[in-house]
Amino acid sequence: MPIDPTVAIGAELGEVAFSWTASDVLLYHLALGAGADPTSARELRYTYERDLRVLPTFATVAANLRTFEPPAVSFPGVEIDLAKVLHGKQEIIAHRPIPVAGKGVARSRIADVFDKGKAAVIVQETVVTGSDGSPLWTSRSTIFARGEGGFGGERGPSDRVEPPTGEPDAVLDTPTLPQQAALYRLCGDLNPLHIDPEFARSAGFGLPILHGLCTYGIVAKAVTDAFLDGDASRVAGFATKFAGVVFPGEPLRTQVWRDGERLLVTTTAPNRDNAPVLSDAILTVRS
């Protein structure tokens, strides 16, 4: 079915009530590789409930932790084969530190649909409020659908971040585990692209690839550790563009530049000639 932007843009996708516990947060952090040094006071902030801080990227999985079916890209005016879909961008704005346990209501809508010619871009916005009705976080997620463009929609604005100048303030090398995708899918993203070799080949990849949101969380944690001593409550937001894939087991190299209350971030895969992984990334520090 061709994309119909007149139906899709602004479409309300309903609301989902959900809850989470400290165990859910611990699982998410472990799925990002937390706890590699089990006696580190900084790592224990991610892996021990006594002084647990919630990395705001947990917001990307909080409502889907009890999901037991692969996702479908089926919205009003949008029907896309899952094998054509890649995650384009992700942004989380944490309006306050995320509680270790709580209840929330997520209300989602299609914020925009863009026609890039050979591909379509669908922007979904979700606002989550707590049990008291106050905002917890807002997320914006962009889906890039190969071969689904050409429907006559707007191309959309350029949102490229001005590249930083000078040497980075830090270069962070972070490992990923060969089983990283198998661990991360326990957080609710069961897309077979990340576990099934045959499905990955049908989608144009030689091997299953790591979830983009897993890479997103791993990098957010690495920057939080290096610049905020692992205090995830100080992260007010993290936005990025997914510039390339990561294969489970590959190391990541992240460069970070200070820019006032912002940290400008790029991530590459050094074992593949520093192939781009994350670009135009900004981590905002809570003042």
Side-chain angles (χ1 to χ4, degrees):
M1 180 182 92
I3 292 173
D4 186 343
T6 62
V7 174
I9 296 174
E12 300 290 339
L13 305 181
E15 63 179 48
V16 175
F18 63 98
S19 63
W20 69 96
T21 67
S23 292
D24 296 324
V25 175
L26 294 170
L27 172 63
Y28 173 73
H29 289 163
L30 290 171
L32 301 181
D37 181 353
T39 62
S40 161
R42 188 179 68 192
E43 289 299 303
L44 287 170
R45 291 177 175 176
Y46 297 103
T47 59
Y48 185 23
E49 58 275 13
R50 187 176 66 185
D51 189 27
L52 183 60
R53 318 283 175 90
V54 183
L55 196 65
T57 55
F58 173 72
T60 60
V61 305
N64 301 315
L65 285 161
R66 309 294 180 258
T67 299
F68 303 106
E69 296 292 336
V73 187
S74 179
F75 308 124
V78 177
E79 200 74 40
I80 299 173
D81 181 353
L82 187 61
K84 297 181 178 181
V85 169
L86 290 173
H87 207 141
K89 302 176 188 175
Q90 182 66 50
E91 179 179 12
I92 292 291
I93 300 169
H95 301 297
R96 53 190 167 101
I98 297 176
V100 169
K103 295 181 179 180
V105 175
R107 297 175 177 86
S108 300
R109 67 184 184 97
I110 301 297
D112 241 320
V113 177
F114 299 125
D115 187 346
K116 299 296 186 180
K118 293 183 178 180
V121 172
I122 299 99
V123 183
Q124 181 176 330
E125 182 178 86
T126 300
V127 177
V128 173
T129 54
S131 54
D132 61 356
S134 64
L136 281 173
W137 66 79
T138 298
S139 68
R140 289 176 66 88
S141 178
T142 298
I143 295 170
F144 185 86
R146 297 169 294 170
E148 295 292 338
F151 52 84
E154 295 291 329
R155 184 167 181 83
S158 172
D159 55 359
R160 181 169 176 76
V161 175
E162 189 67 26
T165 58
E167 291 299 310
D169 291 289
V171 177
L172 313 174
D173 287 315
T174 310
T176 69
L177 300 171
Q179 67 271 35
Q180 200 85 60
L183 287 167
Y184 187 83
R185 67 194 306 269
L186 299 180
C187 296
D189 187 341
L190 301 182
N191 188 336
L193 178 61
H194 307 296
I195 196 73
D196 186 331
E198 184 176 343
F199 186 93
R201 284 192 294 270
S202 74
F205 300 99
L207 295 168
I209 61 175
L210 189 60
H211 305 70
L213 287 179
C214 184
T215 303
Y216 174 76
I218 289 171
V219 171
K221 178 183 180 299
V223 176
T224 300
D225 290 348
F227 286 83
L228 305 177
D229 194 30
D231 186 355
S233 67
R234 294 183 61 197
V235 179
F238 186 41
T240 195
K241 179 185 294 181
F242 297 101
V245 301
V246 175
F247 295 97
E250 284 191 314
L252 301 173
R253 178 162 296 158
T254 299
Q255 298 183 82
V256 188
W257 291 260
R258 295 183 186 272
D259 181 38
E261 294 297 308
R262 309 188 309 169
L263 298 168
L264 307 183
V265 178
T266 65
T267 300
T268 60
N271 285 7
R272 284 186 283 121
D273 296 322
N274 281 314
V277 171
L278 300 183
S279 66
D280 297 341
I282 300 174
L283 188 143
T284 307
V285 179
R286 195 178 306 282
S287 57

